[in-house]
């Protein structure tokens, strides 16, 4: 039985895309599971002058198509929502917000618990945090927690500046930095896979692992996000956060307990062990690319530089592939190959761990064993082993031991944002990123960006391919190849 959380949630960016597509459905999930029940209210803020009634219509529209939602549930849920027109740069508006929060605190008997959720352009995060302190919105009873969306800075210097401004109001344990990958089922499953199975636990190190590959492939292009993406690119948008978190989960030591503190301790150590490249090393180990126009099944797909809002001479990376290393005793020397990009052949996030092949004995030279974790769109594992061919032969054949979560059951499990908001309300910091992790990831990424800074060349790849030829050469020069090489194009995902 889920324990009910009492809280007033103050949402900055209540009219935004993230709020409608992710946050309201997530809160509705928590409402239906009972974690949000009677004692909660949500104050949505944005600049537009909306009424509560209109805001409730927006919230209702965002959740009414959730599977199994009844009109009664939707109405009951929406009745907890209040709207406050608010310009985050205007100090006087915080006083109005404070009064409304205090009134709702009494009305719903929440005991002073507050969750401040920043779902706005990152340029406003520092302004909001500063005003929350100067206008004294934080309560002296109950909890005060800040949930902050990505991107957390643009490089180490801007991330540090942002962190300094929010830590002037909130201490580290009150800050819940979102990386929604940490709310995903199969990312959370890595701990069980690695540490509940002696079979894997015993061989999860440099003596047995040949290489690790992480692919976060998107089939879509930049869509309507060029304004943001032009200033970010794949390295900052995907590698700095999601891929780095996956690397940490895959290489960290076993935590001493299933607690946030113990998990963050080993995760931070994994981040600290990341080998930060010199510019020359970065240039040799990381490649970037940009998608070019292609005609697929008779339909012409725009190249990145033709997309609305993109400069005709843009040097923004829509693809990154690289090799990184971890200087820890268990993983030193194990290549970790990562790639991510837009307009790739198919949407999929997957991780493959390739174990070293046997080099002696009966089957010296047999193919390596591979373990693949499928994160999305399917969820599950495949272990590719050497089996024996049927019949009177000792010849080997590759066999796949396969498990997939039932798609129906997976669809009914809480979505990443629901888990994360539920955790923030419950005060569980496990699946949020600590400042140390963010800082280490930026140090790593800044070194790669610096390696590219003076290079005007931008390799291209046709939309619907798996990236530029440089991404394949990167592995070929080590005698390796990408494990996942999809043949069918599915750009519609
Ligand atoms: P959005 O542009 O759709 O919404 C921004 C919100 O901020 C709106 O409600 C707008 O009214 C409000 N706003 C803007 N200026 C304001 C001001 N001066 N005072 C008060 N309110 C103001 O943005 P979004 O896509 O919802 O993204 C919000 C945050 O979430 C960003 O940090 C983004 O990087 C992050 N994020 C979004 C997504 C997504 O899928 N949309 C995914 C991951 C992270």
């Amino acid at each position: 039985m889920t324990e009910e959380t009492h809280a007033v949630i103050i949402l900055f960016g209540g009219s935004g895309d993230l709020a409608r597509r992710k946050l309201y459905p997530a809160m509705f999930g928590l409402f239906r599971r009972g974690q949000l029940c009677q004692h909660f209210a949500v104050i949505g803020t944005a600049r537009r002058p909306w009424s509560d009634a209109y805001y409730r219509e927006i919230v209702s529209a965002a959740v009414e198509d959730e599977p199994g939602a009844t009109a009664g549930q939707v109405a009951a849920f929406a009745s907890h929502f209040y709207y406050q027109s608010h310009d985050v740069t205007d100090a006087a508006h915080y006083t109005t917000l404070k009064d409304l929060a205090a009134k709702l605190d009494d009305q719903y008997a929440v005991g002073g618990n507050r969750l401040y959720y920043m779902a706005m352009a990152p340029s406003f995060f520092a302004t909001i945090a500063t005003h929350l302190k100067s206008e004294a919105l934080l309560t002296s009873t109950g909890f005060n927690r800040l949930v902050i969306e990505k991107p957390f800075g643009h490089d180490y210097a801007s991330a540090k500046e942002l962190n300094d401004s929010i830590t002037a109001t909130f201490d580290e344990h009150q800050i819940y930095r979102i990386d929604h990958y940490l709310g995903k089922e199969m990312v959370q499953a890595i701990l069980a896979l690695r540490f509940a199975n002696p079979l894997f636990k015993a061989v999860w190190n440099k003596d047995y692992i040949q290489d690790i590959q992480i692919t976060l492939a998107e089939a879509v292009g930049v869509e309507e996000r060029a304004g943001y993406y032009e200033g970010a690119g794949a390295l900052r948008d995907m590698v700095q956060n999601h891929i780095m978190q996956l690397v940490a989960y895959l290489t960290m030591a076993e935590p001493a307990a299933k607690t946030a503190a113990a998990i963050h301790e080993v995760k931070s150590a994994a981040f600290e062990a990341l080998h930060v490249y010199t510019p020359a090393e970065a240039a040799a180990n990381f490649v970037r690319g940009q998608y070019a126009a292609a005609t697929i099944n008779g339909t012409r797909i725009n190249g990145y530089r033709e997309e609305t809002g993109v400069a005709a001479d843009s040097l923004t990376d829509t693809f990154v592939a690289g090799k990184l290393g971890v200087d820890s005793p268990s993983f030193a020397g194990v290549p970790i190959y990562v790639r991510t990009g837009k307009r790739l052949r198919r949407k999929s996030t997957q991780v493959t761990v390739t174990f070293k092949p046997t080099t002696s004995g009966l089957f010296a030279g047999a193919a390596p064993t591979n373990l693949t974790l499928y994160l999305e769109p399917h969820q599950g594992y495949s272990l590719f082993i050497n089996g024996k061919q049927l019949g009177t032969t000792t010849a080997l054949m590759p066999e796949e031991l396969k498990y997939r979560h039932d798609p129906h059951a997976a669809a009914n499990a809480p979505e990443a944002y629901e888990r994360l908001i539920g955790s923030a309300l419950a005060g569980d910091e496990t699946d949020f990123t600590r400042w140390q992790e963010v800082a280490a990831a930026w140090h790593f990424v800044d070194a790669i960006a610096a390696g590219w800074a003076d290079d005007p060349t931008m390799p291209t790849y046709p939309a619907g391919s798996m990236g530029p030829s440089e991404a394949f050469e990167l592995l070929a020069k080590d005698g390796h190849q990408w494990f996942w090489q999809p043949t069918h194009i599915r750009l519609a995902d």
Side-chain angles (χ1 to χ4, degrees), residues 215-223 225-239 243 286-293 301-322 338-346 452 457-468 471 491:
T215 299
L216 270 66
E218 293 183 275
V220 295
V222 71
E223 314 279 284
R225 293 179 68 220
Y228 157 71
Y229 201 78
E230 271 284 87
L235 179 68
R236 293 186 170 91
D237 190 40
M238 303 293 263
V239 178
I243 287 186
F286 264 76
V287 302
R288 58 182 172 167
Q290 224 178 43
Y291 60 87
I301 307 292
N302 278 342
Y304 179 67
R305 291 182 182 184
E306 299 165 306
E307 303 274 29
T308 309
V310 173
D313 58 353
S314 170
L315 283 177
T316 299
D317 45 303
T318 65
F319 177 93
V320 183
V338 303
R339 64 179 166 171
T340 182
K342 292 191 179 293
R343 280 279 182 236
L344 298 184
R345 194 153 285 169
R346 289 218 307 261
W452 290 341
T457 55
M458 174 58 78
T460 59
Y461 57 98
S465 70
M466 285 306 285
L491 288 187

Side-chain angles (χ1 to χ4, degrees), residues 402-442:
K402 176 173 168 179
Y403 172 79
R404 297 288 180 275
H405 278 308
D406 169 48
H408 182 70
N412 278 334
E415 206 263 339
Y417 268 98
E418 184 176 332
R419 290 175 199 227
L420 294 176
I421 297 174
S423 295
L425 284 166
D428 180 350
E429 299 166 41
T430 309
D431 297 322
F432 298 87
T433 57
R434 288 259 163 95
W435 166 241
Q436 260 177 304
E437 302 166 16
V438 175
W442 275 125

Side-chain angles (χ1 to χ4, degrees), residues 13 15-18 21 46-47 86-88 119-120 124 149-151:
S15 63
D17 172 70
L18 182 75
R21 284 192 311 109
R47 270 182 308 189
H86 180 91
D87 182 341
V88 296
M120 292 185 53
F124 293 118
E149 272 294 337
K150 79 160 199 180

Side-chain angles (χ1 to χ4, degrees), residues 102-402:
K103 178 175 154 267
L104 295 175
D105 195 309
D106 278 351
Q107 189 176 328
Y108 290 92
V110 307
N113 292 337
R114 298 257 166 99
L115 191 79
Y116 307 89
Y117 199 120
M118 293 199 194
M120 292 185 53
S123 53
F124 293 118
F125 293 166
T127 309
I128 300 171
T130 308
H131 281 96
L132 291 178
K133 182 171 188 172
S134 64
E135 308 314 313
L137 265 87
L138 273 58
T139 55
S140 50
T141 57
F143 63 70
N144 287 277
R145 296 181 188 139
L146 175 73
V147 180
I148 186 159
E149 272 294 337
K150 79 160 199 180
F152 200 90
H154 178 78
D155 52 17
Y156 173 74
S158 56
K160 168 104 174 42
E161 196 183 326
L162 171 59
N163 200 58
D164 288 347
S165 65
I166 60 175
T167 51
T169 304
F170 295 93
D171 73 37
E172 179 67 20
H173 291 288
Q174 295 175 302
I175 301 170
Y176 291 71
R177 296 182 195 80
I178 295 250
D179 179 332
H180 74 277
Y181 259 66
L182 297 181
K184 286 185 185 287
E185 179 63 46
M186 291 303 295
V187 175
Q188 301 193 343
I190 293 174
L191 222 55
L193 174 80
R194 287 191 53 196
F195 302 116
N197 301 290
L199 171 68
F200 295 122
K201 191 170 159 174
V203 296
W204 208 272
N205 57 54
K206 65 177 191 302
D207 296 335
Y208 290 94
I209 292 180
Q210 173 188 293
D211 68 89
I212 297 177
Q213 301 186 8
I214 301 174
T215 299
L216 270 66
E218 293 183 275
V220 295
V222 71
E223 314 279 284
E224 293 86 33
R225 293 179 68 220
Y228 157 71
Y229 201 78
E230 271 284 87
L235 179 68
R236 293 186 170 91
D237 190 40
M238 303 293 263
V239 178
Q240 190 274 339
N241 37 59
H242 312 322
I243 287 186
M244 288 294 151
Q245 287 290 333
L246 283 172
V247 169
Y249 262 104
L250 291 163
T251 61
M252 71 190 192
E254 182 170 8
K258 278 191 246 157
T259 60
I263 292 172
H264 279 293
E265 188 180 327
V266 290
K267 195 139 78 78
S268 295
F271 271 96
E272 294 301 326
L274 271 175
H275 179 81
V276 176
Y277 286 135
T278 63
E281 286 174 329
N285 288 296
F286 264 76
V287 302
R288 58 182 172 167
Q290 224 178 43
Y291 60 87
T295 300
I296 297 165
N297 300 332
T299 304
R300 187 179 183 284
I301 307 292
N302 278 342
Y304 179 67
R305 291 182 182 184
E306 299 165 306
E307 303 274 29
T308 309
V310 173
D313 58 353
S314 170
L315 283 177
T316 299
D317 45 303
T318 65
F319 177 93
V320 183
K323 175 167 81 167
L324 52 92
V326 172
D327 294 331
S328 69
S330 307
F331 277 89
V334 177
I336 302 172
Y337 301 107
V338 303
R339 64 179 166 171
T340 182
K342 292 191 179 293
R343 280 279 182 236
L344 298 184
R345 194 153 285 169
R346 289 218 307 261
K347 175 183 170 67
S348 179
T349 300
Q350 46 182 278
V351 174
T352 296
V353 178
T354 299
F355 295 93
K356 289 181 178 171
T358 176
T359 53
S360 61
L362 286 187
F363 293 104
T369 306
N370 301 285
L371 172 69
T372 294
L373 278 68
Y374 297 96
L375 277 69
E376 60 184 2
H378 307 292
Q379 301 178 356
Y381 314 90
S382 281
L383 182 64
F384 297 89
I385 61 165
N386 290 299
K388 185 192 97 50
Q389 286 183 19
L390 275 175
T392 54
T393 171
T394 58
L396 301 176
M397 60 182 266
E399 288 169 358
E400 181 182 2
L401 310 182
K402 176 173 168 179

